[in-house]
Amino acid sequence: PAYILEWLAAGRIGGVYLFARNVASPQQVADLVQACHAAAPSPILVGIDQEGGLVARLRAGEGFTESPGLMTLAASDDVALARQMSEVLAQEMHVLGINWVFAPVVDIVHDINNPSVSTRSAGIDKDRVARFAVAQIEGFQKHVAATAKHFPGLGKSAIDTHLALAHIDDSVDYIRDNDLVPFRVAVD
């Protein structure tokens, strides 16, 4: 909406997030993002969910490269492929003026039916999840800032956290020794 450009110009906000509804074509996205950058008196963050697989706002049907999701990439057991695929996505985002990606998912999949994680993660093994998270972060961060998401323990919740508050019954020690591991490795 026009008020976003006004808020950017006034310095009221320091960034924007692009939803799928903001995406029609590469040129349209580039123009939209450039208008946001141009409106702001200081550099801004432009973020998007572009994990690949189920969660990708830039889709092939609109002229963008699509990537398999992280579980599919992890099934290849090829961290170099995961790194390369993330770099390709990041190059496209960078060219468009997007500088922040909300990816990778580093939650452990304790239940494949979890509505917030499912196949968006590398799996249930904490070390495998960590390895693939690092590979994706390395690929993304050649061109954009990456965000390890969501939070330790989410993969055990049956709740869609977009709709309700998750409750995790594990001990702090269990979470520290398992679910927190990929997040620590991602930060390192």
Side-chain angles (χ1 to χ4, degrees):
Y3 67 83
I4 295 294
L5 295 178
E6 294 168 14
W7 288 1
L8 286 166
R12 290 182 63 194
I13 58 174
V16 295
Y17 172 87
L18 301 178
F19 291 94
R21 67 178 175 257
N22 302 120
V23 176
S25 70
Q27 187 62 56
Q28 173 269 329
V29 173
D31 292 344
L32 173 65
V33 171
Q34 178 53 38
C36 291
H37 283 293
S42 302
I44 62 168
L45 294 171
V46 179
I48 195 166
D49 274 311
Q50 190 65 8
E51 301 167 13
L54 294 174
V55 178
R57 306 302 178 229
L58 307 173
R59 293 280 186 185
E62 288 92 30
F64 299 99
T65 300
E66 281 205 52
S67 167
L70 188 50
M71 189 171 282
T72 301
L73 288 169
S76 75
D77 205 31
D78 187 346
V79 293
L81 176 62
R83 185 180 303 108
Q84 181 182 18
M85 204 62 244
S86 297
E87 184 176 358
V88 167
L89 297 177
Q91 286 172 322
E92 285 187 356
M93 287 181 273
H94 177 75
V95 167
L96 297 169
I98 298 167
N99 52 23
W100 188 10
V101 64
F102 297 109
V105 171
V106 299
D107 304 297
I108 293 175
V109 179
H110 295 283
D111 178 354
I112 195 64
N113 296 314
N114 174 290
S116 297
V117 179
S118 69
T119 61
R120 296 167 64 192
S121 164
I124 191 163
D125 179 83
K126 64 185 176 192
D127 297 319
R128 181 185 194 84
V129 172
R131 269 194 326 276
F132 278 88
V134 166
Q136 282 204 304
I137 289 167
E138 289 170 350
F140 283 131
Q141 291 200 158
K142 289 185 178 187
H143 304 282
V144 299
T147 304
K149 63 182 189 181
H150 296 92
F151 61 87
L154 175 63
K156 278 207 168 172
S157 171
I159 300 294
D160 181 342
T161 54
H162 298 95
L163 306 174
L165 182 64
H167 178 81
I168 311 302
D169 288 324
D170 289 326
S171 70
V172 171
D173 289 337
Y174 179 86
I175 290 173
R176 183 183 305 113
D177 294 341
N178 293 281
D179 293 82
L180 191 57
V181 169
F183 287 90
R184 277 197 306 256
V185 171
V187 169
D188 289 346

